[in-house]
Amino acid sequence: MRKFRLLDHNSVPKHEIMQEDEIKVLLNTYQIDKERLPKIKGIKKSVEKVGKKVTKKVGKKISDKGVDPVVIELGAKIGDVIKITRISQTAGESLYYRLVIE
Amino acid sequence: MDNKIPSIPKRIGSVKFGLISPREIRKMSVTAVIAADTYDDDGYPIDMGLMDLRLGVIDPGLKCKTCSSRAGECPGHFGHIELVAPVIHVGFNKMIRKILRAICPKCGRLSLEPANKEEYLRQLAKLKEIGHLPDSLISDIFKEAAKAKTCPYCNDADGNPTKKTVIKFEKPVEYIEDGEKLTPSEIRDRFENIPDEDVRVFGMDPDNARPEWMILTVLPVPPVTVRPSITLESGQRSEDDLTHKLVDIIRINQRFQENRDAGAPQLIIEDLWELLQYHITTFFDNEVSGVPPARHRSGRPLKTLSQRLKGKEGRFRGSLSGKRVNFSARTVVSPDPNLSINEVGVPFPIARQMTIPIKVVSRNIDLMRMYVARGTGVHPGANYVIREDGRRIKVTDVNCGELSEKLGFGWTVERQLADGDIVLFNRQPSLHKMSIMAHYIKVLPNKTFRLNPCVCPPYNADFDGDEMNMHVLQTEESRAEAKILMLVQENILSPRFGGAIIGGIHDHISGLFLLTRNENFISKNGALELLRKADIRKLPEPAGRHGNGEPYWNGKQIFSQILPKGLELEFPAKVCFQCEVCKKGDCEYDSYVIIKDGELLKGTIDENAIGAFKGIVLDKVVKEYGTTIGAKFIDDVTRLAIRGVMRTGLSFGIADEDVPNEAKLEISDAMAKAEDEVHNLIQAYDANELESLPGRTLAETIEMLIMQKLGKARDQAGQIAGNHLGLENSAVIMAKSGARGSMLNLTQMAACVGQQAVRGERIRRGYSDRTLPHFKKDDLAADAHGFVKASYKSGLNPTEYFFHAIGGREGLVDTAVRTSQSGYLQRRLVNALQDLEVQYDGSVRETRGVVVQFKYGEDGIDSTKSDYSKPEAVHRIVRSVTGKEVD
């Protein structure tokens, strides 16, 4: 059992999974498709299907390697876009977006 | 120029990389090379030798037997050498090792379960689709396959799955399995066994790169044009390093063949094989670790293929991304404060050499005729004319008159540089964009480039022998671009911190400091003299009149003349004592600057006002009045300041470090007291009465305390010396105004040099338990560990001098190491970031269009256009329009 949520840590900026309509607005403002967003590593689809128990037993080595801890914490799926609200030296608060990939 | 190779424009659709196959090598080869010789006794190339005429020609007069073109036109053609036995290509050692470990020695299949293979293939396809590099996945695949202890596909003689043994790799090119050396032939056989499907799994494309092609059976011979021979003055031919190496290879290859055909013992065959491997290894790379480099007869290591490509002078960094350029000049720089910051003084001989091409049209034909008629001798003349048909004609004293008359529309005249031309000026190392700026030319006598000392900080130049480069722009577009983007005045503000990087240095600061400080009584003559170059038409009302009715002005009024009208500013000066409650305008040290409507009312001008990097006045003038007025302001500052410092005079000599006797006594008292305190500390330490500080051992604690005490003692000594020297001392003036030097420098000269340190600690190295034999063992006292009580003026005693040398050496080593490290860091950063671009929507993207930052710098602000992100500018406008303060 973890004693605290990862996202509660002081140094971890706020992460949220974006809604479809929000993503549309975002992609529209920058005139890009999803693939042009910065990436963040997520859990593989094939492993997801098998379910959590199997994941732990067999796929642990493959599935968790390099996966961003925040993605696991949020339960984000491949193809989701995560909105990150960072504290910025220059702008006070700045927004950053990442596409979850395999 | 006359016989250009006709070029057919073609678009490159794609570029494919792969391994070259033996078949392809033979196919592109025009001849097998058999003879290990170049020329026969008559100096004619030997047939099927290394200089065979089919491989291309380099001697003028001969024709290539393959393409029948002459030297210069013939691009050269490859030949080949049939190797008697296969040999490993050094460049692929890593890959060969990985594959060897991943496959079954018997059946050659990749040691992975079929399901795994499919999964990996799928992932590879996915990565390719996204456009990511598959490197890390492939290394995972190899790791996974190497783990298998047995082959999943085949059985050995006993019916058990085939065992895999760990294959050891030994530098440079040996593979050992079970204590037995694998020959290149065996390795090649195994690779040939790998099925195509398995090759795909580890990321290779079997159509373009079969693994066995990494083991050479036939060696391509580069064309003669790649390795031209040089004819020395003595008529002797000197061959290229590559040719020498190829001669070796052919010779050994032949001997190998003969020995094998004669049925020589295995030992000799193996020796020859190894020798052939050595020569081919060094042919590719003569710096492989573990292989002695092949040498020339003179003992110089040969420059073989990879040495041609690698490193700073290699093909990529030396010949392709960096090249030598025309229309450039280089000479020593020296200062000239009477030039504008936008100008550069160019010596006469350079201005006469360098040219700008001008197209002759109806508007300028008379002028161009004049230039050509002057020839090359009289200054703004012309050096070349280019006729309509593109023919270049040199202008000489003989033909200048004739050419001038012949000159017609459509010709181009290469005119000499003249005042007002724009050029690029640069000093290496070019670390930021301000290292190359555009200047207007001023042609001057003598032989150095002249520049305004204010532009030293961006170039990081000084005048102790620095040389700088000048590049003359050749097209109208480049000149326009340089003028708009690169002119010095457009770069006054640095994007690094948003402040001025071009501004007063050294004498400019002390000059204005002396001028604006105190009540200066400046006569009319003096005032005019000071403002002579500043284009001032009228003097202001005098500050007052002497007894005899003669008017006088003060320095603040004079300085105000060069400030733009309407400037409003308030800030503490550098000399500010940081009192607890700032009295602002009523500051008794006159160190709070108030400027109202372009007039300096209170305060002294120093580094904080006009210094490069810090100048607040500079920054405000440039941001509010634009770069042109900003540049004019800096020009005026330099001229006024130089005259200002000459009016008072500022000199510094050894006598300026003299401190009165009572000060010396005070200092030595302070020193003695500090030594006593240190002595007490040591006694307490020896008696074990000292309390250790949290997180430190007792020994560390006493070191810290002693360092603290001695540091304080030195500061105290400095204070005493500073007080006695007074504010009129020139060193104090320079230190306080920020012109040059610091109070610490002054302390070291006049009072006490202080503790010498190595890695931030007192000096401890030397003999066992002591630094020098002059001290007792385990002596912790100040003088035994590098505390220098003396000042530079009074002179150091021998032990002090020695410790000082130790500390000084560390400083020197530090700077040497730091510059090389930061240079490499810079190179890596530039390589990583060079393709990023700020888009019009404020986002930063790389070449594929992937966003790197959604807003440049997270706030999307150009620091040179922003007022340090503070609303002061808006407040000021509101104040000046409505007369009310904004809350």
Side-chain angles (χ1 to χ4, degrees):
Chain A
M1 275 293 280
R2 222 197 323 249
K3 293 216 177 79
F4 61 90
R5 255 168 60 88
L6 191 61
L7 290 164
D8 292 339
H9 192 281
N10 205 22
S11 306
V12 178
K14 193 166 133 201
H15 286 68
E16 296 158 291
I17 300 174
M18 288 175 83
Q19 301 299 318
E20 275 306 314
D21 48 336
E22 284 180 299
I23 296 175
K24 230 180 231 169
V25 174
L26 168 73
L27 296 181
N28 200 34
T29 47
Y30 288 99
Q31 287 290 306
I32 48 174
D33 52 22
K34 264 190 190 174
E35 290 299 319
R36 297 281 172 275
L37 289 173
K39 316 281 190 297
I40 190 166
K41 190 142 180 176
I43 306 160
K44 274 173 195 144
K45 253 182 200 154
S46 52
V47 186
E48 269 174 340
K49 272 180 211 156
V50 190
K52 270 198 175 159
K53 273 186 187 163
V54 189
T55 313
K56 264 182 190 158
K57 225 162 71 187
V58 190
K60 188 90 185 174
K61 248 185 255 160
I62 313 174
S63 71
D64 269 10
K65 204 181 141 196
V67 174
D68 197 294
V70 173
V71 174
I72 301 172
E73 186 88 20
L74 281 176
K77 308 228 166 19
I78 306 295
D80 280 351
V81 177
I82 293 178
K83 176 174 158 185
I84 305 166
T85 314
R86 294 178 179 162
I87 293 164
S88 157
Q89 272 196 6
T90 50
E93 219 171 55
S94 82
L95 297 177
Y96 206 72
Y97 307 91
R98 281 183 188 276
L99 173 70
V100 183
I101 55 155
E102 263 181 58
Chain B
M1 287 295 270
D2 303 35
N3 38 12
K4 271 190 211 153
I5 303 162
S7 60
I8 308 144
K10 279 182 183 167
R11 183 179 295 262
I12 297 170
S14 62
V15 179
K16 190 165 70 184
F17 291 98
L19 295 176
I20 191 165
S21 70
R23 248 182 65 188
E24 214 168 329
I25 295 173
R26 293 194 187 98
K27 213 171 90 188
M28 72 177 185
S29 163
V30 289
T31 177
V33 181
I34 304 168
D37 240 329
T38 48
Y39 297 94
D40 60 19
D41 298 335
D42 307 331
Y44 198 76
I46 294 173
D47 219 31
M48 296 189 93
L50 278 167
M51 289 289 159
D52 191 303
L53 284 178
R54 280 170 290 184
L55 297 175
V57 281
I58 39 165
D59 314 280
L62 287 176
K63 262 192 179 174
C64 172
K65 275 192 182 165
T66 306
C67 63
S68 61
S69 42
R70 274 174 225 285
E73 293 164 46
C74 169
H77 313 278
F78 274 91
H80 76 276
I81 299 170
E82 288 289 346
L83 297 178
V84 178
V87 159
I88 284 166
H89 187 310
V90 262
F92 295 112
N93 257 329
K94 246 188 196 161
M95 196 67 188
I96 292 174
R97 186 176 63 199
K98 278 189 201 161
I99 297 176
L100 266 182
R101 286 177 182 168
I103 61 168
C104 164
K106 196 176 155 211
C107 68
R109 306 184 88 166
L110 191 62
S111 309
L112 284 175
E113 298 294 337
N116 269 345
K117 283 186 188 172
E118 263 171 51
E119 167 64 18
Y120 281 131
L121 275 175
R122 207 183 58 79
Q123 288 182 20
L124 279 172
K126 179 88 187 176
L127 282 179
K128 197 177 176 190
E129 194 188 314
I130 310 177
H132 279 209
L133 288 177
D135 299 16
S136 67
L137 177 62
I138 286 171
S139 77
D140 283 354
I141 296 170
F142 276 125
K143 243 182 242 159
E144 204 58 36
K147 269 187 207 154
K149 294 249 157 51
T150 54
C151 173
Y153 298 97
C154 69
N155 296 332
D156 60 10
D158 304 334
N160 301 321
T162 317
K163 268 193 188 158
K164 283 176 69 185
T165 31
V166 182
I167 293 167
K168 253 175 58 190
F169 171 69
E170 262 179 25
K171 272 181 183 175
V173 282
E174 269 173 33
Y175 294 89
I176 293 160
E177 185 179 42
D178 255 350
E180 297 258 327
K181 205 190 137 194
L182 282 173
T183 63
S185 308
E186 285 167 313
I187 299 173
R188 204 180 141 87
D189 287 345
R190 286 189 189 182
F191 283 5
E192 276 170 8
N193 273 336
I194 309 173
D196 275 1
E197 313 85 86
D198 284 10
V199 172
R200 285 201 184 87
V201 178
F202 49 75
M204 284 169 80
D205 171 11
D207 297 329
N208 293 307
R210 281 287 313 179
E212 64 264 25
W213 298 346
M214 292 188 281
I215 319 262
L216 304 163
T217 53
V218 52
L219 186 76
V221 175
V224 184
T225 39
V226 172
R227 43 186 177 88
S229 56
I230 317 159
T231 317
L232 298 174
E233 280 168 46
S234 56
Q236 251 191 334
R237 274 189 175 269
S238 169
E239 295 300 332
D240 192 272
D241 284 2
L242 277 186
T243 312
H244 282 300
K245 205 66 237 178
L246 285 166
V247 168
D248 292 341
I249 292 171
I250 296 172
R251 221 172 256 154
I252 296 303
N253 201 39
Q254 261 170 358
R255 221 162 83 201
F256 194 175
Q257 175 96 52
E258 286 158 14
N259 271 290
R260 206 162 63 173
D261 291 350
Q266 187 61 30
L267 215 66
I268 291 181
I269 297 285
E270 261 173 39
D271 270 5
L272 282 172
W273 201 344
E274 233 165 74
L275 200 55
L276 182 67
Q277 175 75 64
Y278 166 77
H279 283 303
I280 291 185
T281 302
T282 48
F283 172 69
F284 285 114
D285 186 352
N286 205 8
E287 279 168 2
V288 187
S289 66
V291 180
R295 283 170 195 282
H296 195 256
R297 254 172 312 189
S298 61
R300 165 184 66 87
L302 293 174
K303 249 189 131 188
T304 51
L305 283 176
S306 79
Q307 275 67 53
R308 284 193 178 193
L309 309 177
K310 255 185 208 163
K312 204 167 176 181
E313 261 121 62
R315 201 75 339 126
F316 294 105
R317 274 176 78 186
S319 325
L320 293 168
S321 35
K323 292 204 202 107
R324 291 170 183 273
V325 289
N326 287 325
F327 307 107
S328 60
R330 178 184 175 96
T331 183
V332 176
V333 285
S334 44
D336 185 344
N338 290 319
L339 285 175
S340 160
I341 55 164
N342 284 321
E343 285 176 323
V344 57
V346 177
F348 238 102
I350 289 180
R352 272 175 41 185
Q353 268 296 311
M354 315 210 66
T355 57
I356 288 179
I358 309 267
K359 214 125 212 132
V360 179
V361 292
S362 56
R363 283 160 175 267
N364 67 8
I365 189 159
D366 292 335
L367 187 67
M368 290 303 123
R369 284 226 162 97
M370 193 171 79
Y371 282 140
V372 177
R374 278 187 193 150
T376 51
V378 188
H379 174 56
N383 290 357
Y384 284 94
V385 292
I386 300 164
R387 286 200 320 222
E388 262 177 310
D389 58 359
R391 182 92 185 195
R392 253 167 107 88
I393 303 165
K394 186 163 175 64
V395 178
T396 58
D397 291 341
V398 184
N399 67 4
C400 61
E402 183 194 345
L403 279 174
S404 157
E405 272 168 42
K406 270 206 224 155
L407 206 67
F409 301 149
W411 287 42
T412 305
V413 173
E414 299 209 324
R415 187 207 86 196
Q416 290 173 354
L417 286 190
D419 286 4
D421 285 331
I422 200 162
V423 294
L424 300 188
F425 204 45
N426 159 241
R427 179 181 177 274
Q428 279 119 351
S430 313
L431 296 174
H432 52 191
K433 71 170 190 170
M434 287 81 78
S435 288
I436 306 178
M437 291 189 286
H439 291 248
Y440 289 112
I441 279 186
K442 188 96 190 167
V443 181
L444 293 175
N446 299 322
K447 290 186 175 164
T448 56
F449 283 134
R450 252 56 58 82
L451 66 145
N452 186 305
C454 284
V455 284
C456 285
Y459 290 121
N460 192 18
D462 49 40
F463 304 111
D464 60 3
D466 288 26
E467 292 186 47
M468 285 178 74
N469 307 317
M470 186 187 82
H471 299 267
V472 180
L473 300 164
Q474 297 290 306
T475 63
E476 226 34 90
E477 293 92 326
S478 58
R479 280 189 287 269
E481 195 168 317
K483 190 174 159 184
I484 293 166
L485 298 173
M486 303 176 72
L487 197 64
V488 175
Q489 69 177 44
E490 307 302 329
N491 290 292
I492 296 172
L493 300 178
S494 164
R496 188 168 86 215
F497 52 91
I501 192 175
I502 294 169
I505 52 171
H506 310 326
D507 275 4
H508 305 148
I509 294 164
S510 28
L512 288 182
F513 181 80
L514 291 172
L515 189 70
T516 56
R517 181 181 68 142
N518 304 338
E519 280 293 302
N520 267 320
F521 298 105
I522 301 167
S523 66
K524 186 169 180 181
N525 267 342
L528 291 175
E529 164 69 21
L530 283 167
L531 291 168
R532 210 170 113 196
K533 294 262 178 167
D535 196 26
I536 302 294
R537 296 281 145 224
K538 232 177 104 193
L539 280 179
E541 278 299 301
R545 282 175 194 278
H546 289 295
N548 57 8
E550 213 179 295
Y552 64 84
W553 286 265
N554 65 40
K556 290 190 174 67
Q557 279 182 300
I558 305 288
F559 178 72
S560 300
Q561 297 314 298
I562 63 169
L563 284 171
K565 294 281 154 283
L567 187 71
E568 306 261 337
L569 213 51
E570 270 186 37
F571 62 92
K574 170 96 197 305
V575 282
C576 173
F577 285 80
Q578 318 238 301
C579 324
E580 276 186 22
V581 185
C582 185
K583 291 180 194 153
K584 299 210 163 170
D586 301 324
C587 180
E588 59 260 51
Y589 311 105
D590 200 24
S591 57
Y592 191 80
V593 178
I594 300 178
I595 296 171
K596 277 221 159 73
D597 192 22
E599 203 169 327
L600 176 65
L601 299 178
K602 284 265 156 59
T604 317
I605 296 300
D606 56 19
E607 196 188 11
N608 273 4
I610 52 115
F613 298 108
K614 288 195 179 145
I616 295 171
V617 178
L618 278 181
D619 179 74
K620 259 285 179 307
V621 170
V622 177
K623 276 177 185 158
E624 290 199 1
Y625 295 84
T627 52
T628 311
I629 290 177
K632 189 179 174 305
F633 176 65
I634 297 176
D635 291 346
D636 288 341
V637 163
T638 36
R639 290 169 191 155
L640 175 64
I642 294 300
R643 281 168 180 76
V645 76
M646 285 194 292
R647 207 183 91 91
T648 327
L650 187 74
S651 66
F652 184 63
I654 198 104
D656 287 292
E657 295 154 7
D658 276 335
V659 283
N661 260 332
E662 69 238 48
K664 276 186 197 155
L665 283 175
E666 261 183 80
I667 290 170
S668 65
D669 276 355
M671 288 290 149
K673 223 178 103 199
E675 269 181 339
D676 273 354
E677 282 173 28
V678 170
H679 186 68
N680 289 340
L681 276 174
I682 294 169
Q683 268 184 342
Y685 173 73
D686 287 341
N688 235 337
E689 286 161 4
L690 208 65
E691 292 252 349
S692 67
L693 289 163
R696 278 175 213 284
T697 65
L698 215 52
E700 284 168 353
T701 309
I702 181 119
E703 277 299 309
M704 258 190 67
L705 291 176
I706 292 174
M707 288 269 276
Q708 263 173 17
K709 277 268 154 4
L710 294 175
K712 240 181 242 161
R714 192 207 43 204
D715 292 345
Q716 222 180 333
Q719 201 110 56
I720 297 165
N723 289 342
H724 282 273
L725 289 173
L727 283 168
E728 287 310 307
N729 181 285
S730 14
V732 177
I733 287 177
M734 288 192 281
K736 293 271 183 204
S737 67
R740 193 74 223 243
S742 61
M743 284 315 280
L744 176 66
N745 293 148
L746 199 53
T747 304
Q748 290 194 322
M749 288 190 286
C752 165
V753 175
Q755 180 68 49
Q756 299 302 306
V758 171
R759 298 192 176 174
E761 285 174 2
R762 299 205 296 165
I763 289 165
R764 268 192 292 179
R765 51 186 66 180
Y767 298 86
S768 52
D769 304 324
R770 54 179 161 178
T771 50
L772 283 173
H774 308 71
F775 304 106
K776 289 218 169 76
K777 282 194 172 182
D778 296 315
D779 188 358
L780 282 175
D783 56 343
H785 286 273
F787 184 74
V788 180
K789 218 159 78 174
S791 65
Y792 287 130
K793 170 99 198 290
S794 68
L796 280 61
N797 72 33
T799 54
E800 286 177 336
Y801 186 90
F802 179 67
F803 291 130
H804 184 251
I806 294 177
R809 167 73 70 92
E810 197 203 28
L812 288 182
V813 170
D814 256 23
T815 39
V817 171
R818 254 209 310 276
T819 43
S820 69
Q821 276 180 348
S822 66
Y824 184 44
L825 180 75
Q826 162 110 1
R827 200 180 133 69
R828 275 151 58 193
L829 271 176
V830 168
N831 272 333
L833 301 177
Q834 61 186 354
D835 293 322
L836 302 187
E837 200 179 334
V838 182
Q839 307 293 330
Y840 282 107
D841 66 356
S843 63
V844 181
R845 304 188 192 189
E846 34 105 305
T847 40
R848 291 176 302 171
V850 175
V851 178
V852 175
Q853 271 187 347
F854 286 88
K855 226 170 190 186
Y856 170 70
E858 296 185 335
D859 55 3
I861 281 173
D862 175 357
S863 55
T864 61
K865 302 286 184 331
S866 120
D867 216 1
Y868 301 99
S869 302
K870 283 186 198 111
E872 269 166 33
V874 180
H875 289 186
R876 201 187 59 79
I877 292 169
V878 172
R879 191 163 56 228
S880 64
V881 173
T882 63
K884 280 183 216 156
E885 289 290 329
V886 191
D887 320 304

